[in-house]
Amino acid sequence: MSTPSDPNQLIVFDTTLRDGEQSPGCSMHTHEKLRVGEALAALGVDVIEAGFPIASQGDFESVREIARRIEGPTIAGLARCQSGDIDRAWEAVKDNPRPRIHVFLATSAIHREHKLKMAKEEIVRRAVAGVERAREHCEDVEFSPEDASRTEPDFLAEVVEKAIEAGATTLNIPDTVGYSVPHEYGEVFAMLRRTVRGIEHVVLSAHCHDDLGLAVANSLAAVQNGARQVECTINGIGERAGNAALEEIVMGVRMRGEALDGVTTTIETERLCGVSRMLAMITGTRLPRNKAIVGANAFAHESGIHQHGVLSSRATYEIMDPKWVGADKSQLVLGKHSGKHAVRDRVRALGYSITEESLEGLMPRLKALADRKKSIYDRDLEALLVEEDDAALDGPWKLERLHTSAGTDSQATATVVLTHAEGGKRTEAAVGDGPVHAVFESIRLAAGVELSLKEFEVRNLTAGEDAQGEAIVDVTRDGRTYRGRGLSTDIIEASAEAILDVVNRLVRMDARAEDTTIAYAGHGAD
């Protein structure tokens, strides 16, 4: 179990792959989840909540693969307090040396009345039955009373006490809708510690959402009142406004541990920026420049007064050394003459793991990019690493040729040639409001799919005239939105690859249509 021998060690419970992935546009394939899971393990997180196995066959397989292939952290699977959910979660995590089942059930009056249609007595009975069922499978069982922060204090204490009696080893107190403010959320933990029998034998956990921008503050208030596990996500991704950001929690503890009951973590903070960028690239989400700890401006100074102060002494305006979070300004510049040793070392320094086989596959693509660019920077290398993962799901369609034409006095046109993995070639031309729209229409026609272009975004990943560009497109089909991404030094080509990425994903999805998604109420414990 993930109970630390040191009472002042804070257990870092990462739910990026479960709650974080529920953030719109942040869904990941199994191979992407594995890469993130490996990075989290290298980062030093104590618990990885790998998913909600009952949600779908794909989610089950992802959790099972993570449990089988990632060692070190405890691997948790989420389940409602229902036998089918719990048994499915156990099947997914049982092959890991340190499995955990995380069961949840809503307890607040608003959930009891409007979602569950249950009386208090039935809530208690089901919570106890759920914990007992999970304990039949493993010793490490976490229980979450969903919407705990809006639950009547007396009833919350009753449910928590019964869950402990049933065998729960971790008690999580979620601020599910981000409604609490720090002093009242901290008081919930203080109240439970005063009134609940046996609570000294379990780990208390905080799980906060950021609807009012208070997720990190609330989590730290819980720590001050006895919580010794904090549930968080990389970059704070998650439902609605997101979750407490792992990097902010960890650095808050590192910098202000004396104000937080002297707690510490085992996180290798120098990997934070690398893992943050990896997740942003995999999910296609852009970090705000002013994002704490890992944002581009976190250690930037434009004010003349600030610049003068930092030049005199960094401590005047920086409370952290950028190196502590992996934000060192210096970069190792790679090029076409770089060897495998230098590339391997840089890949690992960025927080990625890489096999010799993957390195062999990376080198030709790195050298090809070096022929098109003068220098390869960290962001270029990260883009190639993510692109390598995307290549694992190649096709069936590939872009063989692309031609566009646009001008101020003519309508944009595009012609594409696509090849199919099973043979065959299709050529289509289309017009559009601009070159990207024309490319979208021509690819849509060639692949034979019905889609609508919703949003298009482009950004540079590195500096300079020969910088790599990343294109992100959001398309809709049958009322649902899907995201694709592409990379190239040519932004129109990057746009075509982004469109083709989402087209191929939908084609593969249609081919797997026989995998029936298991219906479930809600997404999770929070």
Side-chain angles (χ1 to χ4, degrees):
M1 293 185 290
S2 293
T3 303
S5 55
D6 181 356
N8 286 329
Q9 181 188 326
L10 186 64
I11 298 169
V12 178
F13 178 113
D14 184 276
T15 186
T16 301
L17 298 178
R18 201 277 299 170
D19 202 336
E21 200 210 10
Q22 291 170 198
S23 180
C26 290
S27 61
M28 291 175 262
H29 297 294
T30 296
H31 72 285
E32 293 169 330
K33 289 186 177 183
L34 280 167
R35 182 176 282 280
V36 173
E38 290 168 352
L40 292 173
L43 183 64
V45 304
D46 302 288
V47 184
I48 295 175
E49 187 167 51
F52 193 2
I54 198 68
S56 69
Q57 180 64 23
D59 217 24
F60 171 81
E61 292 174 355
S62 294
V63 176
R64 184 174 59 183
E65 282 302 299
I66 290 168
R68 288 175 174 176
R69 295 174 58 175
I70 295 178
E71 294 188 9
T74 293
I75 305 298
L78 185 69
R80 293 169 298 179
C81 284
Q82 297 180 11
S83 296
D85 283 40
I86 295 166
D87 295 347
R88 190 69 164 164
W90 173 245
E91 284 298 314
V93 302
K94 68 179 183 181
D95 293 330
N96 191 266
R98 304 174 68 187
R100 174 183 292 189
I101 299 175
H102 179 189
V103 295
F104 73 95
L105 182 64
T107 54
S108 68
I110 193 168
H111 278 254
R112 297 195 307 266
E113 178 182 353
H114 296 288
K115 186 177 80 171
L116 299 177
K117 312 293 185 185
M118 291 182 191
K120 290 181 178 179
E121 295 75 17
E122 179 65 8
I123 295 290
V124 173
R125 188 191 69 78
R126 292 204 180 192
V128 168
V131 172
E132 289 177 342
R133 180 77 171 198
R135 278 303 300 258
E136 292 175 6
H137 294 303
C138 67
E139 295 182 357
D140 193 352
V141 174
E142 178 171 340
F143 174 71
S144 288
E146 185 183 8
D147 207 23
S149 60
R150 294 194 297 172
T151 299
E152 306 93 318
D154 289 348
F155 182 56
L156 178 63
E158 179 185 356
V159 175
V160 165
E161 187 168 296
K162 293 298 184 183
I164 294 172
E165 292 174 358
T169 52
T170 297
L171 266 300
N172 180 42
I173 310 300
D175 184 28
T176 299
V177 292
Y179 184 71
S180 288
V181 295
H183 78 272
E184 66 182 10
Y185 187 63
E187 175 54 29
V188 173
F189 286 80
M191 178 274 295
L192 292 174
R193 293 177 70 197
R194 289 194 306 267
T195 61
V196 174
R197 289 174 297 180
I199 203 161
E200 67 275 11
H201 302 304
V202 302
V203 174
L204 282 176
S205 178
H207 182 121
C208 299
H209 280 259
D210 209 32
D211 298 71
L212 293 176
L214 295 171
V216 170
N218 284 336
S219 298
L220 296 180
V223 171
Q224 289 177 312
N225 285 276
R228 286 300 177 265
Q229 175 176 285
V230 173
E231 307 193 0
C232 43
T233 62
I234 299 296
N235 298 339
I237 66 171
E239 292 273 21
R240 304 180 312 281
N243 290 55
L246 180 148
E247 59 278 2
E248 296 176 28
I249 295 285
V250 167
M251 292 310 296
V253 168
R254 176 167 177 173
M255 298 302 300
R256 298 306 314 277
E258 79 289 348
L260 298 167
D261 282 358
V263 296
T264 60
T265 76
T266 57
I267 297 296
E268 296 187 21
T269 61
E270 293 78 7
R271 294 179 178 268
L272 286 172
C273 280
V275 177
S276 167
R277 289 194 298 265
M278 175 199 299
L279 183 70
M281 295 184 70
I282 286 175
T283 58
T285 55
R286 175 180 290 183
L287 280 176
R289 295 187 66 85
N290 64 332
K291 169 72 173 67
I293 312 300
V294 294
N297 289 353
F299 299 98
H301 305 274
E302 185 171 343
S303 161
I305 295 174
H306 284 216
Q307 289 175 346
H308 175 72
V310 170
L311 288 173
S312 301
S313 171
R314 174 176 284 163
T316 54
Y317 289 104
E318 285 186 356
I319 61 172
M320 294 172 282
D321 187 325
K323 293 180 181 179
W324 295 349
V325 298
D328 192 339
K329 299 294 192 302
S330 64
Q331 297 191 67
L332 173 63
V333 180
L334 300 173
K336 61 184 179 181
H337 300 298
S338 299
K340 287 193 296 183
H341 292 293
V343 175
R344 184 192 300 110
D345 288 345
R346 194 60 197 156
V347 167
R348 291 174 177 171
L350 290 172
Y352 292 75
S353 59
I354 190 166
T355 64
E356 286 303 312
E357 181 181 0
S358 296
L359 183 61
E360 290 289 345
L362 174 66
M363 293 303 296
R365 293 186 295 111
L366 184 144
K367 291 181 180 294
L369 180 61
D371 284 336
R372 300 165 67 180
K373 293 179 93 274
K374 294 178 180 178
S375 301
I376 307 269
Y377 294 93
D378 287 352
R379 297 299 300 275
D380 294 308
L381 185 55
E382 289 176 324
L384 288 173
L385 291 165
V386 174
E387 192 178 57
E388 177 189 14
D389 273 351
D390 293 340
L393 291 176
D394 271 349
W397 294 106
K398 287 189 176 181
L399 182 67
E400 180 178 289
R401 194 158 58 252
L402 167 67
H403 175 76
T404 60
S405 176
T408 56
D409 56 352
S410 61
Q411 192 167 20
T413 64
T415 302
V416 299
V417 179
L418 301 185
T419 58
H420 197 277
E422 296 180 359
K425 183 182 297 188
R426 289 187 185 175
T427 302
E428 288 287 350
V431 297
D433 296 332
V436 172
H437 186 229
V439 169
F440 172 83
E441 289 297 329
S442 59
I443 290 177
R444 183 184 65 80
L445 291 170
V449 294
E450 289 298 325
L451 298 170
S452 297
L453 182 61
K454 182 181 179 183
E455 291 186 14
F456 167 70
E457 179 184 356
V458 62
R459 58 180 176 175
N460 64 308
L461 292 183
T462 49
E465 296 179 357
D466 56 357
Q468 274 204 107
E470 178 183 46
I472 300 170
V473 296
D474 285 352
V475 305
T476 58
R477 184 180 75 165
D478 298 331
R480 298 188 64 182
T481 300
Y482 303 89
R483 175 170 289 178
R485 61 185 296 277
L487 298 166
S488 177
T489 51
D490 182 327
I491 200 58
I492 300 299
E493 183 181 337
S495 305
E497 294 292 352
I499 296 162
L500 202 57
D501 175 39
V502 74
V503 165
N504 279 325
R505 187 173 305 161
L506 291 172
V507 170
R508 292 192 298 267
M509 187 185 302
D510 291 341
R512 296 194 302 266
E514 65 274 11
D515 289 343
T516 304
T517 298
I518 301 171
Y520 63 98
H523 274 52
D526 37 84

